[in-house]
Amino acid sequence: MRKPIRSKALLVSLMFVMLFALAACGSKNNNGAAESTAAPSASAPAETAKATAAPDAEDGLYNIKDFSNIKTNQGEAIDGGTITFGLVSDSPFEGTLNLNFYSGAPDAEVLNWFDEGLLTWDKDYVYTNDGAATYEVAEDGRTFTFTIRDNVNWQDGKPVTAEDWLFAHEVIGNPKYDGPRYGSDFTNIEGMEEYHSGKAKTISGIKVLGEKKLQITYLKSSPSLLTGGIWIYPLAKHIFGGMDVAKISSSPEVRQKPIGFGAFKVESIVPGESVVFVKNEDYWRGAPKLDKVILKVINPTTVVQELKSGGVDLVDAFPIDQFPDNAKMSNVEYLGAVDRAYTYIGFKLGKWDAEKKVVATDPKAKMADVNLRKAMWAAVDNDTVGKKFYSGLRWNATTLIPPSHPEFHDASNPGVPFDPEAAKKILDDAGYKLNGEFRTNPDGSELKINFISMTGSDIAEPLAQYYVQSWKAIGLNVTLEMVEFNTFYDRVGQNGEDDPSVDVYQGAWTVGIDVDPTGLYGKDAIFNFPRYSSAENDRLLTEGVSEAAFDVNKRKEIYKEWQQFMVNEIPVFPTLYRAALVPVNNRILNYGIGDGTGLYYNDIAVSADKSAVAQ
Amino acid sequence: MWKIIVRRILIMIPQIFLLSILVFLMAKAMPGDALSGMLDPNIDPAAIDAMREKLGLNDPWYIQYWDWITKAIQGDFGQSFRFKMPVSELIGQRLMNTLWLAIVTLILTYLIAIPLGITSGRYNDSWLDRLITGYTYIGFAAPLFIFALLMVWVFGFHFHWFPTSGSVSPGEVPGTLSHFWSKFYHLLLPALSMALIATVGTVQYLRNEIIDTKQKDFILTARAKGASESRVYNRHILRNSLLPIAAFFGYEITGLIGGTVFVESIFSYPGMGMLFLSSITIRDFSVVTALVLLYGVAAIVGALLSDIILSIVDPRIRIK
C-alpha cells in the first residue's frame, strides 16, 4: 500500500513530533510511513487461515517484530463492496485537497485515495520505475528525464502531461504560492531561484520534451535526489492555469470538487468530516475492486468502539496507549511497522549565530564535557521505560538513524547501554566529586542542570521525572520544568534565540524517507538544537550525500561511521524508537502499511458484504 | 423602552472596541505563531521569515492591530493560516452546525426542565419531587464529558440507535429532505446529552421559585377568592415563577453559541468549540481573534437580550 508514503514522507522530510499525542489539543497520533519489519508472517501466503487479533503477549508486553505490515487475507474477494475508512483525529480535516498545497496530515489521508505521485518507491525509499512515470538519470547524475505513462489521465478524462508537471513547479516557485513546499527540493533545480525572485520568466532547468516527457536538471547531484528529492506531483494546468496563484488553495477546485489521477474519485465532501469516493474506472493500474470508499473523521476516544462495531474497516492510525486493552479485539488484525521517528534527549552545547547562520558551539558550555553526557546516557534505562510506559511498543533506541531505515540503521551498534555503576565511575574519573547528595564540577563549583520537557499526555511528566531520578541516582542535580509545545521549541531555539537557561531537553523527531541527517545535525541547520558542530561531523555528513555515496554500500559505511561518531560525541542521545499499529477489519483483503509492499489502493477488496463485528 | 435599548447598544461600541484590543494583545502574547508548528529542515528558515514578513507578523502590535481592526470592521477577518480559506467563511460553516446544535439543545432543555420543575415545585416533598431532585443532583455531579461518552456508548455503539460521529451522513445531497433529516438525526444524541445535563439548573430554579411563590400573599388571595387549583397554578404561580427563567434565556443562547468542546469532540461534530481549541493549539491567530471577538459580542448581545426580555415580561423592571 502506498498509503502513508506521501502523507509525510516526501513533503515533510523532518518534522516536529509532539512528544506524545497531545490529549486534548488537536494533534493526531504520529502516523508516519514506516518500513516493513522483517516479521516472519510478512510474506505468508493468503491461505494462513484464521488470523488472531494480535500476537499474544507475555506479561502484557509486545514486540513490533511479531506484527506483520501486510494483512493476512481471509476468505475470497467478493465483487465490488463499500468500505469505511476512519480518519482518527480530534479535529476536522482542513480541506486543502491538493497535493501541491496541503499542509495537514489529515488532508494527506484524504488525498491518498484520489491522487498520487508520478513516481513510486521501494521499501528502501528509492524511486522505482513502477509508478505512473518512469525516470532515467543522465551520466552527470543531475539531469533526469521522466516519461509519464500514456494511460495516466486526470479524472476528468484529460491526460496528465509534462506541462502539468512543469506547471506544479512553476506554481510552487511562484512568490505568491501560499503552501509550505518551496524548499531545498526546489532550490536545487537549475534556474529555480532566479524564477522565484522574478529575475527569470521561466525555470531554465525544466524542459518539456514532449506531451508526456519532461527533463529536469538539478544543481547538485546526490543520492538524496533518488530518495524523495524530486517533486512528483503534477498540477492540472487545464484547471488551474488561468487562476491567480494566491487564490488556488481556497478555490472550489481544491476544496469542493478536487480531482487527481488516483484509484478513486471524489463524489461528495462534507467539509471537515467526511468524503465519499467512488472507483475510478479509468485508473492507470486498472479499475479498483471496491465500488465505494467512505472516509469519515472519528475521534480517538471512540475509535475502539467504532472498530468493534464494524463502523469502520480501516483507520489511518491507532492511539497506541489503547492497544494493550484491545489487543484481543476479535474482528480486526493489527498491522505493525516501525515508525520513522525517535525520541531523544539533547544537550545544549552552544548558541545559534543569527548573523552567519551557523551554530556557534561553545567549548565552555555547562554540558560541554562529553563524560558528563555519557554518564547521563548510561544512567537511564530506556528498555524499562519502553516496557513500563508503552508495553514494549516503544523500545530502547541506540543510534540516531532509526530502524525504520533498515539499510542504514546500524543494528550492531549498542549505543551506550544502561549501567549506573559505569556512569558513576565515568563521573568519578572525570573529577565530578560527590559533595553531600550531589556532585560538583571538576573545579569544585556547583553543578545544577536544567532539564525541560513537553507537556502533553498523562505520562509526559512521570516519564520526565523518571529521567530526573535516574540522574539523581548517579549524583546529578537536575531540575525539571514541564512546558507546552510551542514554548518548548521557542526555548530550545526554533527561531535561533536559544534560552540560555536550558541545559538538557527531551524532544522527538519524525525523520524523512531520505536518511541524510544534515537538516538536524549539520553546522548550518537551525534545527541543530544542541548547537553541536565539529569538523569530523561535517565531513561525514558531506560524504553521505556526495557522488561517491551513490554506491549504497559506501553510503552505508559512511552512516555507520556517523552513527558511531554520534555515540562517541553525544550531542544528543536517542531514547526510544516506536511502533505504529493499525487495526484492519478481517474482511479487508490486499492491504498493507509501509512502503514497497507492492499493494495499491486499487487492489483492496473485501471478503464479505458487511464488516466483521467483535464478539 | 427604546431609549434603553439604544443606550445599551451605544455602550456596546466602546465595550467591543476594548474587547478587541484585549483579545488581540492576548493572542499575540501566546508563545509561538502559526509558522512555529510547521518547522521543517527542508524549508529554508529564510523562506519562513519571508512568510512571516508577508503575513505581517514582524510588525509592532499596534500596526498589526490597525491592519486587523480596519479590515475586521468591514467583515474581513483575514485568512486562516491552517485552513487556507477566509476566516468568515470558515466560521460561517461551523457556526451553522453549532447553531443548530444549540437550538435543539435549548428546545430539549426547556421541554425537560419546565414540566419537571413544575411537578417538583407543585408537589414538593412528595416522592416524585424527591425523584426529580435526585436526578438534578446526579446531573450536577456528572461531568458532561463522561456523561456524553456514556451516551455514545449506550445509544450509539450498543443499541445502534444513533449515529456516533459527524454532522451528516457522508454522501447526502444538501437541500434534500433526507439531508435535513440526517442532520437532525446526527445532532439529536449530542443535543440530548447536553440538554439532560444543562437542564438540572433550570429545574431547581423553577422548583424553588414555585415553592416560594406558593406562599405569597396574592396566591392566598386567589385561593380565598375560590380560584380552582389549576387556575392558581397556571395563571398565578407559573407566570411569576417563569420570570427569572425567561431572563436567563439570553445568557443561555450566548453560552450555546460558544459550542461545547467536550460534546463536539466526543461526537466529532465540527462546531465552533473544536475550531476554537484547535486554532489556539496551532496558533491560527486570525481564527482565534475572530472567534473571541464573536463570543464577546455574543455575550454582550445576550445580556442585552436578557434585559429586554425581562423588561417585557416584568413591567416593574422597566426604567423610566
Side-chain angles (χ1 to χ4, degrees):
Chain A
M1 186 65 27
R2 291 269 115 194
K3 184 189 66 166
I5 292 174
R6 235 178 277 122
S7 62
K8 277 179 184 164
L10 249 189
L11 314 172
V12 185
S13 150
L14 289 146
M15 203 183 92
F16 285 121
V17 183
M18 304 204 181
L19 186 47
F20 306 100
L22 298 185
C25 308
S27 88
K28 241 162 58 75
N29 261 350
N30 172 29
N31 66 330
E35 163 277 340
S36 59
T37 48
S41 51
S43 54
E47 59 262 27
T48 33
K50 270 192 190 163
T52 48
D56 275 345
E58 291 164 34
D59 340 317
L61 293 179
Y62 300 90
N63 191 327
I64 186 61
K65 291 203 176 72
D66 301 331
F67 291 87
S68 163
N69 71 325
I70 293 177
K71 171 82 170 56
T72 323
N73 285 350
Q74 295 182 41
E76 292 290 312
I78 60 167
D79 271 349
T82 299
I83 65 166
T84 310
F85 176 83
L87 177 53
V88 181
S89 166
D90 51 15
S91 60
F93 63 86
E94 285 88 347
T96 313
L97 300 180
N98 189 296
L99 286 165
N100 290 282
F101 285 92
Y102 88 94
S103 51
D107 276 354
E109 296 298 335
V110 180
L111 278 161
N112 285 330
W113 290 96
F114 72 88
D115 207 359
E116 59 184 44
L118 286 164
L119 297 178
T120 57
W121 51 77
D122 62 15
K123 69 178 177 48
D124 296 318
Y125 314 112
V126 178
Y127 287 130
T128 64
N129 277 329
D130 307 330
T134 56
Y135 72 99
E136 279 166 48
V137 194
E139 206 50 32
D140 61 1
R142 59 193 190 94
T143 307
F144 285 63
T145 310
F146 304 95
T147 313
I148 304 170
R149 285 178 210 276
D150 282 336
N151 58 348
V152 179
N153 296 322
W154 295 106
Q155 284 155 2
D156 61 2
K158 299 256 174 21
V160 177
T161 63
E163 276 291 334
D164 293 331
W165 206 343
L166 165 66
F167 182 58
H169 284 88
E170 286 173 344
V171 165
I172 294 175
N174 190 307
K176 282 201 279 183
Y177 169 73
D178 61 352
R181 304 287 168 238
Y182 187 75
S184 56
D185 290 359
F186 287 89
T187 48
N188 191 28
I189 295 170
E190 221 173 67
M192 185 52 106
E193 299 213 51
E194 288 78 3
Y195 178 78
H196 183 70
S197 61
K199 278 184 215 133
K201 283 256 181 291
T202 53
I203 305 161
S204 59
I206 308 183
K207 285 192 189 84
V208 175
L209 303 178
E211 201 206 346
K212 294 269 187 182
K213 236 183 171 68
L214 187 77
Q215 189 191 64
I216 304 182
T217 310
Y218 294 91
L219 292 173
K220 214 173 114 258
S221 165
S222 104
S224 299
L225 268 180
L226 295 178
T227 48
I230 297 169
W231 187 251
I232 55 173
Y233 306 106
L235 185 64
K237 194 173 184 179
H238 64 278
I239 294 174
F240 299 105
M243 243 181 251
D244 180 358
V245 171
K247 298 239 164 78
I248 294 179
S249 62
S250 53
S251 68
E253 286 80 359
V254 166
R255 310 196 72 91
Q256 287 144 28
K257 282 274 153 216
I259 65 160
F261 59 95
F264 292 87
K265 293 194 277 195
V266 173
E267 190 185 63
S268 69
I269 297 179
V270 180
E273 53 177 290
S274 64
V275 183
V276 178
F277 301 98
V278 290
K279 70 169 163 182
N280 175 13
E281 296 281 359
D282 191 31
Y283 183 52
W284 68 273
R285 279 186 218 271
K289 298 197 172 89
L290 293 174
D291 292 331
K292 212 178 218 187
V293 175
I294 295 166
L295 175 147
K296 62 176 185 179
V297 174
I298 52 174
N299 192 280
T301 50
T302 54
V303 60
V304 168
Q305 291 302 329
E306 290 277 7
L307 285 161
K308 276 189 179 161
S309 65
V312 293
D313 295 293
L314 289 175
V315 290
D316 67 311
F318 188 75
I320 218 134
D321 52 338
Q322 295 182 31
F323 172 73
D325 289 338
N326 296 292
K328 299 255 180 271
M329 207 190 294
S330 63
N331 63 332
V332 300
E333 177 182 341
Y334 283 95
L335 306 184
V338 179
D339 215 346
R340 243 182 9 237
Y342 60 87
T343 316
Y344 69 98
I345 287 188
F347 300 99
K348 295 298 281 186
L349 304 173
K351 284 196 192 61
W352 176 250
D353 185 338
E355 294 254 306
K356 292 187 200 133
K357 303 209 186 255
V358 290
V359 299
T361 309
D362 176 9
K364 290 202 191 73
K366 197 191 277 181
M367 308 307 294
D369 183 359
V370 68
N371 291 311
L372 178 58
R373 306 198 295 265
K374 190 167 181 187
M376 284 177 82
W377 190 351
V380 295
D381 184 3
N382 287 313
D383 205 35
T384 307
V385 167
K387 284 179 181 152
K388 293 267 186 244
F389 286 97
Y390 298 101
S391 308
L393 292 169
R394 290 190 186 178
W395 59 96
N396 181 36
T398 49
T399 76
L400 292 179
I401 294 179
S404 52
H405 292 74
E407 264 196 315
F408 296 106
H409 171 68
D410 183 3
S412 64
N413 190 333
V416 173
F418 170 59
D419 188 346
E421 290 314 311
K424 283 182 199 160
K425 187 163 183 310
I426 295 169
L427 290 176
D428 285 340
D429 292 350
Y432 295 87
K433 291 197 185 60
L434 267 178
N435 178 10
E437 197 183 356
F438 296 116
R439 291 173 192 270
T440 60
N441 278 317
D443 63 5
S445 59
E446 191 193 15
L447 176 63
K448 215 172 148 203
I449 299 165
N450 296 315
F451 173 46
I452 67 169
S453 189
M454 264 179 277
T455 53
S457 74
D458 297 344
I459 58 170
E461 187 155 2
L463 183 59
Q465 287 291 359
Y466 164 77
Y467 286 123
V468 172
Q469 278 162 21
S470 304
W471 291 326
K472 192 178 169 196
I474 59 167
L476 294 175
N477 184 5
V478 180
T479 48
L480 169 71
E481 197 183 336
M482 300 293 297
V483 288
E484 165 271 349
F485 173 77
N486 281 281
T487 319
F488 177 87
Y489 277 112
D490 266 0
R491 290 179 62 184
V492 167
Q494 64 173 348
N495 299 317
E497 290 150 16
D498 304 15
D499 179 350
S501 72
V502 176
D503 303 316
V504 182
Y505 64 96
Q506 181 180 221
W509 287 113
T510 296
V511 297
I513 61 167
D514 182 30
V515 68
D516 174 27
T518 309
L520 295 182
Y521 300 103
K523 195 177 163 73
D524 50 7
I526 196 165
F527 307 111
N528 179 347
F529 293 137
R531 309 303 182 213
Y532 168 81
S533 60
S534 73
E536 178 69 1
N537 186 41
D538 292 347
R539 178 186 72 82
L540 288 168
L541 291 180
T542 317
E543 271 184 25
V545 291
S546 65
E547 282 198 43
F550 268 105
D551 174 5
V552 174
N553 285 328
K554 173 80 185 156
R555 203 176 187 205
K556 273 189 207 166
E557 221 171 86
I558 295 164
Y559 285 125
K560 188 176 173 178
E561 204 181 323
W562 182 76
Q563 288 172 74
Q564 182 55 44
F565 183 68
M566 284 288 124
V567 170
N568 298 341
E569 291 285 304
I570 321 180
V572 309
F573 69 82
T575 53
L576 297 169
Y577 296 140
R578 46 179 89 176
L581 296 185
V582 175
V584 179
N585 195 282
N586 284 343
R587 71 165 175 152
I588 300 284
L589 308 174
N590 310 328
Y591 184 74
I593 58 171
D595 299 272
T597 55
L599 291 170
Y600 301 96
Y601 276 163
N602 63 323
D603 296 320
I604 304 176
V606 288
S607 60
D609 219 10
K610 289 230 156 61
S611 320
V613 176
Q615 283 133 20
Chain B
M1 177 73 189
W2 286 110
K3 248 189 190 162
I4 304 166
I5 295 176
V6 171
R7 200 192 303 156
R8 285 293 300 269
I9 290 173
L10 283 180
I11 295 174
M12 268 171 61
I13 296 172
Q15 276 178 328
I16 290 172
F17 178 68
L18 203 67
L19 177 75
S20 73
I21 293 189
L22 277 178
V23 166
F24 195 80
L25 286 182
M26 302 264 237
K28 293 289 150 190
M30 289 196 287
D33 58 37
L35 296 164
S36 55
M38 53 167 276
L39 286 190
D40 175 347
N42 257 345
I43 301 178
D44 187 359
I48 291 184
D49 263 354
M51 221 141 141
R52 280 213 169 93
E53 195 65 44
K54 207 162 86 180
L55 293 170
L57 292 174
N58 289 337
D59 296 334
W61 73 268
Y62 47 88
I63 294 182
Q64 288 191 46
Y65 175 74
W66 182 250
D67 285 349
W68 174 70
I69 195 76
T70 44
K71 282 188 188 149
I73 289 171
Q74 300 159 38
D76 174 10
F77 290 95
Q79 191 92 358
S80 158
F81 185 80
R82 174 165 70 138
F83 287 87
K84 302 265 186 299
M85 65 195 279
V87 173
S88 38
E89 205 176 300
L90 179 68
I91 292 179
Q93 245 175 37
R94 300 298 181 83
L95 189 63
M96 283 325 285
N97 281 340
T98 297
L99 225 49
W100 281 117
L101 183 62
I103 291 169
V104 175
T105 308
L106 209 61
I107 293 172
L108 286 176
T109 307
Y110 285 119
L111 275 184
I112 300 168
I114 292 175
L116 286 189
I118 292 173
T119 323
S120 186
R122 182 167 178 173
Y123 307 106
N124 63 313
D125 298 330
S126 67
W127 63 269
L128 198 61
D129 173 42
R130 294 214 178 90
L131 208 67
I132 294 171
T133 335
Y135 156 64
T136 61
Y137 289 149
I138 294 172
F140 269 123
L144 181 57
F145 55 93
I146 302 277
F147 184 69
L149 265 181
L150 203 71
M151 294 284 278
V152 185
W153 187 74
V154 174
F155 297 108
F157 291 112
H158 191 73
F159 290 117
H160 298 285
W161 289 350
F162 292 100
T164 50
S165 67
S167 71
V168 64
S169 306
E172 293 285 352
V173 186
T176 59
L177 194 66
S178 74
H179 179 262
F180 178 78
W181 166 245
S182 168
K183 281 206 105 135
F184 181 69
Y185 190 36
H186 274 78
L187 59 81
L188 207 51
L189 191 60
L192 198 64
S193 312
M194 273 209 285
L196 281 175
I197 294 284
T199 199
V200 297
T202 321
V203 171
Q204 288 215 333
Y205 218 84
L206 196 57
R207 175 181 181 271
N208 293 349
E209 279 296 320
I210 291 178
I211 294 173
D212 258 7
T213 321
K214 269 205 298 205
Q215 281 131 28
K216 291 266 167 70
D217 291 344
F218 69 92
I219 299 298
L220 285 178
T221 316
R223 285 223 171 88
K225 284 197 305 189
S228 71
E229 198 65 359
S230 69
R231 190 182 161 89
V232 167
Y233 271 99
N234 294 340
R235 304 230 23 184
H236 297 282
I237 297 182
L238 194 56
R239 253 185 137 177
N240 284 289
S241 311
L242 282 178
L243 270 184
I245 292 178
F248 269 114
F249 184 72
Y251 293 107
E252 292 264 1
I253 292 181
T254 316
L256 289 170
I257 282 185
T260 135
V261 174
F262 294 130
V263 165
E264 284 177 10
S265 88
I266 286 167
F267 289 90
S268 294
Y269 188 86
M272 306 271 276
M274 261 164 98
L275 179 66
F276 188 46
L277 195 71
S278 60
S279 301
I280 291 178
T281 325
I282 67 143
R283 306 290 186 261
D284 200 345
F285 288 138
S286 45
V287 181
V288 174
T289 45
L291 279 177
V292 179
L293 198 62
L294 184 73
Y295 292 161
V297 172
I300 296 171
V301 171
L304 177 68
L305 208 63
S306 275
D307 285 358
I308 294 173
I309 296 173
L310 205 58
S311 61
I312 291 172
V313 294
D314 190 350
R316 286 171 302 185
I317 297 175
R318 273 175 222 165
I319 306 157
K320 299 272 152 34

